[in-house]
Amino acid sequence: MPTPVKSAASTLPDPRSEAFVTALVGRLAGTGVLDELGVLRARRAVQQSGERFDRVLTRLGLVTEPALDEILADMLGIGLIRPGDWPSAALDHVAVKHAFLKQSHILPVSDEPDGSLVVAVADPFNAETVSALSFLVERPVVVRLASAADIDQHIDRLYGPRAGVSRLEPMARLTDSGAADADDVRRLEDMASEAPVIRLVQSLIERAQATEASDIHIEPAEDAVRVRFRIDGVLHTVETLPSALKAALASRIKIMAELNIAERRLPQDGRIRANVRGRDIDLRISTMPAMGGESIVMRLLDRGSVALDFAALGFDGTAQRAIEGLFANPDGIILVTGPTGSGKTTTLYTALSVLNSPELKLFTVEDPIEYRLAGVNQIQVNPRIGLTFAHALRSILRQDPDIVMVGEIRDLETAEIAIRASLTGHLVLSTVHTNGAAATVMRLLDMGVEDYLMASSLKAVVAQRLVRRLCPACAKPRTVSPAHLERIRALAGLAGRAADGPTHTVREACGCPACRNTGFSGRTTVYEMLVVDERVRDAMLEGGTEHSIEAAARIGGMVPMIANGIGKVLAGETTLEEVLRVTRAGDAPLQL
């Protein structure tokens, strides 16, 4: 029989001992991760709950799980599992039940040349589980540390998401048997408070956060409930649940969001605040009655994952300087436009973070407030009590603001108040739902805004979309003939011009464990920026069309969105297919 464990896992210190806790506190304080107040909160929670100190830290949100893993790995001399270490396929020669892996948060990762097995564990102090695994596989085991969320995610990827669904079957039978009593509010509450449903909802939120999903879609049908995550703008099916769970699932989410669980005929909106593995997550909840039941969308708003930096969002140096110059204006209107989910609000938040200073008073009117900004007065629209964008904006102007952000210009009244605010010495930022920068001008004119008022107040329009970035770990160069390369450059308006960047680094998506075999990881912005100069202003006053306004903007230096996107293709950041998809140029006569 081989030695049960090759690593030092069996000789680790007792995590409940005062010596270990003191050493851990010293490491956390020394790296600035935890302050004295946080230590006191954690110790008090340990006394009241009896939980281990390291687990309390993440559950209270005092320390993020990745930060704690880094420190524990260093303290204990255990390696970490990095993104490129996860296997691309399950180790078939390791015969271990999926339920054991899922319950223990342990996953076989790779074989060592000496015959030992590398496993990822979430709890390095659980020596019994590691010893049991070593006994089962009859091989020495080398322990590496990883987060429980990452381990669960890769167990689902390698063995299928239904590996952990069996525990819900009893609940499915329970709800199925009582379908006739579904209108009973008490029964709905009882169903929603069942432990399997609570664990299911929590698991979905944790998995969505671990995969950096922006939305969770719960879509009931007659025979099943489909769960999909929107990752990097694309929906992926991650779970198919028994149809009998749909009432309990919807009720649990409604209770968390403080919605009316008995109302299933009308749409409802709510909000959930959750702590997921040491991170505070806000979730916007939307319910919609559909044929098979209530369709639910949960949008994850993770403030810690949003980089409020123009370079990180994908704006190059020239664009950054242009934007910062626009925001230096003491008055006027700057609009950001694009469809839902194109990053407009994030761009405006980034602008506010740049503009925010003790000398200026900033207000926002939003629906809803997506992220909290320190030093900014943020107002939540509430149409039910008459607090509309227009009403709030009118009142804000009596608060002596310097800069005002209006979440969206939806009607003529809001547009006119915003314009008057900009003409009286205020800088106004807002969004409009249109397909392009020039189309935004026409949209405001169609609303009924006078052309002379808009020509006097509008400073610029930034139209944008989000495209998926190629995974840096697996993207590979793509062979492109000189003729095709020139056609790409022509589509970008670069034909005949000297190359001014890395134009021969066109790459294609492949897929690896680091990117969940999608070939993409994260997103970047493609954009066009229309600056209102004399030519554009004259085109507005002359009642110009969208085409004439865009032509005037191009003369002034505006780079079309598709050209900006293809510049990112030539730089190896994304693919041509991605750019054509989001810019609605899919019919462009170009194939690689």
Side-chain angles (χ1 to χ4, degrees):
M1 179 66 63
T3 303
V5 181
K6 184 179 178 181
S7 73
S10 58
T11 59
L12 295 178
D14 179 3
R16 296 182 181 275
S17 69
E18 181 59 31
F20 174 78
V21 172
T22 301
L24 179 58
V25 168
R27 292 288 190 104
L28 294 168
T31 55
V33 174
L34 187 66
D35 58 19
E36 186 176 351
L37 179 60
V39 174
L40 292 175
R41 286 182 59 195
R43 286 188 177 276
R44 188 180 302 114
V46 168
Q47 291 175 354
Q48 294 175 351
S49 67
E51 276 277 17
R52 277 180 11 207
F53 185 81
D54 57 312
R55 289 181 172 175
V56 164
L57 291 173
T58 56
R59 291 185 180 181
L60 290 181
L62 299 172
V63 180
T64 64
E65 199 168 67
L68 182 62
D69 284 349
E70 289 279 354
I71 290 174
L72 285 177
D74 183 54
M75 286 182 64
L76 305 176
I78 296 176
L80 283 168
I81 295 290
R82 303 296 180 182
D85 296 337
W86 297 104
S88 57
L91 304 184
D92 294 332
H93 58 280
V94 180
V96 182
K97 290 185 177 180
H98 303 167
F100 172 79
L101 300 178
K102 195 82 170 180
Q103 182 177 358
S104 304
H105 296 301
I106 188 169
L107 177 65
V109 173
S110 62
D111 297 306
E112 291 283 84
D114 63 0
S116 58
L117 178 67
V118 177
V119 298
V121 300
D123 185 359
F125 301 103
N126 192 355
E128 292 81 4
T129 299
V130 177
S131 297
L133 179 62
S134 180
F135 180 82
L136 287 171
V137 301
E138 298 185 349
R139 297 167 60 186
V141 167
V142 178
V143 171
R144 296 286 183 267
L145 191 58
S147 71
D150 284 344
I151 292 173
D152 287 347
Q153 171 196 335
H154 288 284
I155 289 175
D156 289 342
R157 176 177 62 84
L158 297 172
Y159 299 106
R162 290 192 61 83
V165 177
S166 59
R167 67 183 187 274
L168 297 171
E169 298 301 335
M171 188 63 197
R173 290 193 294 272
L174 169 67
T175 57
D176 213 11
S177 64
D181 300 324
D183 289 328
D184 186 342
V185 175
R186 185 180 298 278
R187 180 168 180 79
L188 288 174
E189 291 175 341
D190 290 343
M191 288 159 48
S193 63
E194 291 287 338
V197 176
I198 294 174
R199 288 197 298 267
L200 172 61
V201 174
Q202 184 66 22
S203 172
L204 290 177
I205 295 172
E206 289 180 357
R207 288 165 57 190
Q209 192 268 343
T211 56
E212 299 181 357
S214 60
D215 303 88
I216 302 171
H217 292 249
I218 300 173
E219 301 163 328
E222 291 298 327
D223 57 348
V225 179
R226 181 172 61 169
V227 180
R228 296 195 288 174
F229 291 171
R230 188 177 294 280
I231 303 173
D232 294 335
V234 177
L235 285 169
H236 301 267
T237 300
V238 297
E239 195 97 70
T240 302
L241 300 170
S243 176
L245 280 174
K246 57 188 176 184
L249 193 59
S251 296
R252 175 59 189 166
I253 294 171
K254 285 181 177 180
I255 288 173
M256 294 175 69
E258 299 181 357
L259 300 177
N260 183 356
I261 65 171
E263 179 55 79
R264 295 182 297 166
R265 302 163 301 173
L266 297 173
Q268 296 188 70
D269 296 306
R271 194 171 194 133
I272 297 172
R273 301 200 73 175
N275 185 276
V276 180
R277 305 192 186 279
R279 300 183 69 150
D280 288 325
I281 307 293
D282 280 353
L283 296 101
R284 282 168 44 192
I285 311 302
S286 173
T287 71
M288 176 68 68
M291 182 66 70
E294 285 184 281
S295 172
I296 300 174
V297 176
M298 309 168 70
R299 169 156 290 188
L300 281 74
L301 303 173
D302 184 355
R303 174 65 179 82
S305 68
V306 178
L308 299 182
D309 176 80
F310 283 119
L313 295 180
F315 291 88
D316 60 27
T318 302
Q320 287 184 64
R321 289 189 291 273
I323 290 175
E324 289 170 1
L326 290 169
F327 290 143
N329 284 297
D331 53 30
I333 296 181
I334 299 174
L335 298 175
V336 180
T337 185
T340 300
S342 60
K344 301 185 298 297
T345 302
T346 302
T347 298
L348 288 181
Y349 276 137
T350 304
L352 289 175
S353 69
V354 172
L355 294 168
N356 194 8
S357 70
E359 295 80 22
L360 297 175
K361 187 162 187 175
L362 282 68
F363 275 91
T364 71
V365 188
E366 306 172 63
D367 184 22
I369 297 173
E370 295 195 5
Y371 302 108
R372 303 292 193 271
L373 296 175
V376 178
N377 300 283
Q378 296 176 269
I379 300 169
Q380 168 71 54
V381 168
N382 190 347
R384 287 179 293 183
I385 61 173
L387 186 59
T388 62
F389 280 114
H391 187 188
L393 183 55
R394 190 181 295 110
S395 299
I396 282 173
L397 296 180
R398 294 193 285 270
Q399 290 279 311
D400 189 28
D402 295 292
I403 300 168
V404 179
M405 186 193 96
V406 182
E408 183 183 349
I409 293 179
R410 298 175 177 173
D411 50 44
L412 177 60
E413 183 182 13
T414 305
E416 288 181 335
I417 298 172
I419 287 174
R420 291 195 180 96
S422 69
L423 292 174
T424 55
H426 305 89
L427 180 62
V428 179
L429 314 178
S430 190
T431 70
V432 180
H433 282 264
T434 59
N435 290 329
T440 302
V441 177
M442 302 308 299
R443 170 71 177 137
L444 293 174
L445 291 173
D446 290 342
M447 279 185 187
V449 176
E450 297 291 345
D451 53 7
Y452 68 90
L453 288 175
M454 187 165 58
S456 303
S457 60
L458 187 62
K459 299 295 182 183
V461 181
V462 178
Q464 66 178 62
R465 303 285 191 280
L466 294 176
V467 296
R468 293 182 292 174
R469 288 183 189 269
L470 285 165
C471 174
C474 65
K476 66 180 183 180
R478 186 174 190 176
T479 302
V480 181
S481 68
H484 271 135
L485 188 62
E486 190 57 30
R487 290 174 68 191
I488 297 174
R489 290 170 56 77
L491 189 58
L494 301 173
R497 289 170 48 185
D500 54 0
T503 60
H504 292 79
T505 56
V506 176
R507 300 192 298 167
E508 65 181 355
C510 295
C512 68
C515 62
R516 300 172 291 275
N517 292 316
T518 63
F520 298 92
S521 180
R523 290 190 286 180
T524 186
T525 308
V526 295
Y527 55 88
E528 61 186 19
M529 190 180 308
L530 184 156
V531 178
V532 180
D533 56 14
E534 289 300 325
R535 293 187 185 88
V536 175
R537 195 171 290 112
D538 290 343
M540 290 183 192
L541 295 173
E542 292 169 4
T545 63
E546 181 179 333
H547 177 74
S548 64
I549 291 172
E550 182 171 347
R554 289 196 186 195
I555 294 173
M558 184 183 82
V559 177
M561 188 186 301
I562 190 169
N564 176 262
I566 291 177
K568 293 181 185 288
V569 174
L570 298 175
E573 292 185 52
T574 188
T575 66
L576 180 63
E577 293 80 6
E578 271 293 294
V579 173
L580 297 181
R581 176 178 67 85
V582 303
T583 57
R584 295 179 172 83
D587 296 331
L590 180 65
Q591 295 290 330
L592 290 183

